[in-house]
Amino acid sequence: AQKVTQAQTEISVVEKEDVTLDCVYETRDTTYYLFWYKQPPSGELVFLIRRNSFDEQNEISGRYSWNFQKSTSSFNFTITASQVVDSAVYFCALSEAGTGRRALTFGSGTRLQVQP
Amino acid sequence: DTGVSQDPRHKITKRGQNVTFRCDPISEHNRLYWYRQTLGQGPEFLTYFQNEAQLEKSRLLSDRFSAERPKGSFSTLEIQRTEQGDSAMYLCASSLIGDNQPQHFGDGTRLSIL
C-alpha cells in the first residue's frame, strides 16, 4: 500500500534562512507521481510541483527547489532565503498510475513558520 | 479562469441532521475529487468522478455519505445522520484527464457537528 511520511511536524526558521522539508514515500508501483502542495492559513491547497517516477532531475523554480531520489524514496523540498509569506503547511502527496487509482495519498504535513 | 468553488464555506449543524455540500470545478476539468481533512492531518481521499461517472470510492465513504455529479459539471456531497466524527474540512478538487495532471483544490467546506 502507498504511504507518504513527513517526519517533520513543525519547523521554525528566521527570515532569509534556507529550509528543507523532507518527504519519504512508499509504493509498489513502478509508475507514480509525486506532488507538493502549500496550504496557507487561508486554507486553500495550492499546487507547487509534480514529478513522475521516471524523471529524477532536480528542479528549481525561483527560491524553490526539489530533490527527487528514487534510491532513498525521497522527494525533498528546499526553500532558499525564506520569507514570512512562506509560512504555511506543506504537504507531499503520491499518486500511483499503475494501479489505475486517481486518489492522492498525502503526508501529514509540515508546518513552516518563518519569523521576521 | 475561476478556480474550484465550494459552498458553503462553513456549516454548523446538530448531530443527526443531514448536510449537503456543493462543488463547482474548473470549467474544462473532467475529473472531480472529494477529500476530507481533519485538524493536523493531510487530506484523505473520499471519492472521484470522471464526467458523471463515479469511478472510485474510499472505504472512508460510509453508507451515510453519497456523492453525485449528475451532469458532469458540479458535484454534491451529502452526509446523512451526521455524527461528531464527521466534523472536518471537506475539500473538492478538479483536474484534467491524465495521470500526471495536478489536482486543483477549492477553499473547502468546514463542517462542525454540535
Side-chain angles (χ1 to χ4, degrees):
Chain A
Q2 68 278 17
K3 185 179 179 182
V4 176
T5 301
Q6 295 180 255
Q8 303 151 309
T9 305
E10 187 162 346
I11 300 175
S12 183
V13 300
V14 176
E15 207 169 16
K16 296 184 183 178
E17 285 186 24
D18 299 346
V19 58
T20 295
L21 309 181
D22 298 333
C23 172
V24 174
Y25 62 92
E26 296 176 29
T27 178
R28 294 179 183 175
D29 207 343
T30 56
T31 304
Y32 53 90
Y33 298 90
L34 296 164
F35 301 82
W36 276 95
Y37 283 85
K38 174 181 180 180
Q39 190 171 42
S42 58
E44 181 179 350
L45 278 160
V46 178
F47 165 71
L48 295 178
I49 190 172
R50 165 195 61 223
R51 225 30 180 175
N52 75 55
S53 52
F54 299 110
D55 183 1
E56 287 194 69
Q57 282 190 347
N58 293 328
E59 183 160 339
I60 298 174
S61 176
R63 297 185 296 107
Y64 295 171
S65 61
W66 291 270
N67 183 357
F68 175 31
Q69 292 194 343
K70 284 180 76 170
S71 61
T72 56
S73 297
S74 65
F75 185 43
N76 297 337
F77 174 28
T78 297
I79 302 174
T80 303
S82 59
Q83 300 177 1
V84 173
V85 293
D86 296 328
S87 297
V89 181
Y90 290 85
F91 291 97
C92 181
L94 166 71
S95 171
E96 294 179 323
T99 61
R101 297 189 68 241
R102 302 291 176 245
L104 287 174
T105 299
F106 285 84
S108 56
T110 297
R111 180 178 298 278
L112 174 64
Q113 292 190 339
V114 182
Q115 308 290 344
Chain B
D1 182 26
T2 57
V4 177
S5 176
Q6 293 189 245
D7 184 69
R9 290 296 308 276
H10 304 275
K11 180 70 176 179
I12 301 173
T13 192
K14 293 181 179 180
R15 188 179 56 182
Q17 297 295 305
N18 299 343
V19 294
T20 300
F21 311 139
R22 177 181 170 121
C23 172
D24 288 88
I26 293 171
S27 58
E28 63 267 27
H29 285 185
N30 304 91
R31 288 186 178 157
L32 186 150
Y33 313 79
W34 285 99
Y35 290 81
R36 181 174 70 186
Q37 185 178 22
T38 53
L39 202 60
Q41 299 298 316
E44 296 174 295
F45 172 76
L46 293 177
T47 188
Y48 102 93
F49 293 83
Q50 183 163 306
N51 300 314
E52 66 276 8
Q54 188 173 19
L55 297 185
E56 187 178 347
K57 292 195 289 187
S58 161
R59 286 172 293 179
L60 291 175
L61 212 66
S62 76
D63 55 5
R64 296 185 298 106
F65 287 69
S66 63
E68 295 183 344
R69 196 183 183 198
K71 297 182 180 178
S73 56
F74 73 91
S75 175
T76 57
L77 177 68
E78 180 183 16
I79 308 174
Q80 295 182 329
R81 305 181 303 281
T82 52
E83 301 173 355
Q84 290 283 353
D86 297 332
S87 294
M89 176 76 86
Y90 289 84
L91 297 167
C92 178
S94 69
S95 76
L96 295 168
I97 291 176
D99 290 335
N100 64 341
Q101 294 299 322
Q103 297 177 23
H104 298 274
F105 285 80
D107 289 338
T109 294
R110 183 170 295 284
L111 174 64
S112 298
I113 307 298
L114 301 177

